[in-house]
Amino acid sequence: KAGVTQTPRYLIKTRGQQVTLSCSPISGHRSVSWYQQTPGQGLQFLFEYFSETQRNKGNFPGRFSGRQFSNSRSEMNVSTLELGDSALYLCASSLEFSGYGYTFGSGTRLTVV
Amino acid sequence: GENVEQHPSTLSVQEGDSAVIKCTYSDSASNYFPWYKQELGKGPQLIIDIRSNVGEKKDQRIAVTLNKTAKHFSLHITETQPEDSAVYFCAASDQAGGTSYGKLTFGQGTILTVHP
């Protein structure tokens, strides 16, 4: 079956702009989580959505937001981009809201210039 | 919150040797410990996981051990092959409904290189 699909794969944005990233989970998976991966901070949890509701949130500023649609697809948005937001953004899906058995997508590489 | 420490940061072995990566965690509420393998240009791939009610789990050449008292868990890869070369991450999660429910806290990663 198809895996977790993230679009776009690469993105270059200018400081101050906003960006929206998309994630389509594995069919039947209802939980979607987002992680930021950087060389300095590693993998850090952004937020998790289950049944269109944000169930948990990491320690990121309010510029980072997300949502989940009724078909479980999810988007995350970053407003007023900063150079430090350059990272690989990873989406993961699982059957239930638990952190158990996550399957990750290949990520969106965001570069802020 | 949870903190996960992973060692070593780099590990170089000869093909056929064993590799061991160790992680410690701080939150005694953590009860689920997955290991992920990340290859260049790809997202992390779950390779094995263990719950806190189990001390050891094996899957072919890969095994994970857990010591709840000491709050550490380890990944063991036997008969390493060049295709095992990748970055390995450990993680911890509380699946009992606490504040970390649904959230994975990752270690900093280990770059494993297997020389032919």
Side-chain angles (χ1 to χ4, degrees):
Chain A
K1 56 183 178 181
V4 178
T5 303
Q6 292 189 245
T7 56
R9 286 297 310 275
Y10 302 92
L11 207 49
I12 300 176
K13 288 287 187 179
T14 303
R15 195 171 41 181
Q17 287 186 314
Q18 76 165 17
V19 67
T20 300
L21 312 180
S22 179
C23 172
S24 294
I26 290 173
S27 179
H29 283 196
R30 300 192 296 165
S31 173
V32 173
S33 294
W34 289 88
Y35 287 79
Q36 181 196 64
Q37 185 174 26
T38 60
Q41 299 298 317
L43 282 150
Q44 291 189 291
F45 173 77
L46 282 156
F47 27 66
E48 173 162 13
Y49 287 86
F50 181 78
S51 293
E52 302 178 65
T53 302
Q54 186 181 93
R55 299 301 180 101
N56 207 340
K57 189 177 191 305
N59 296 323
F60 280 82
R63 300 185 297 107
F64 291 82
S65 63
R67 59 178 176 170
Q68 186 180 34
F69 302 96
S70 58
N71 61 358
S72 294
R73 190 178 70 85
S74 178
E75 289 181 347
M76 69 162 281
N77 183 76
V78 188
S79 62
T80 320
L81 284 166
E82 301 177 358
L83 296 179
D85 296 334
S86 294
L88 180 67
Y89 289 89
L90 292 158
C91 167
S93 74
S94 64
L95 278 169
E96 300 292 338
F97 168 62
S98 67
Y100 174 72
Y102 276 148
T103 299
F104 280 85
S106 294
T108 293
R109 172 74 63 185
L110 172 65
T111 302
V112 182
V113 298
Chain B
E2 175 66 278
N3 182 51
V4 177
E5 298 284 339
Q6 182 172 345
H7 299 279
S9 56
T10 61
L11 181 57
S12 183
V13 299
Q14 289 297 128
E15 183 177 1
D17 287 351
S18 294
V20 180
I21 303 171
K22 298 181 179 181
C23 289
T24 60
Y25 61 98
S26 62
D27 189 351
S28 56
S30 289
N31 52 20
Y32 172 64
F33 308 94
W35 285 89
Y36 284 86
K37 173 184 180 183
Q38 187 173 27
E39 298 174 313
L40 203 59
K42 297 183 180 180
Q45 175 194 1
L46 178 66
I47 56 172
I48 196 167
D49 56 12
I50 192 168
R51 292 181 185 269
S52 60
N53 58 348
V54 175
E56 183 176 2
K57 184 176 178 180
K58 290 183 179 179
D59 183 4
Q60 299 183 336
R61 297 186 296 109
I62 294 174
V64 58
T65 59
L66 170 65
N67 183 327
K68 285 194 300 181
T69 303
K71 292 183 191 170
H72 67 70
F73 56 112
S74 300
L75 177 71
H76 304 253
I77 305 174
T78 59
E79 301 172 15
T80 54
Q81 301 166 5
E83 50 266 40
D84 294 329
S85 296
V87 182
Y88 290 81
F89 293 94
C90 63
S93 173
D94 166 18
Q95 296 197 323
T99 57
S100 295
Y101 188 42
K103 165 187 171 182
L104 289 174
T105 300
F106 284 87
Q108 287 297 308
T110 296
I111 301 172
L112 173 64
T113 304
V114 180
H115 299 281

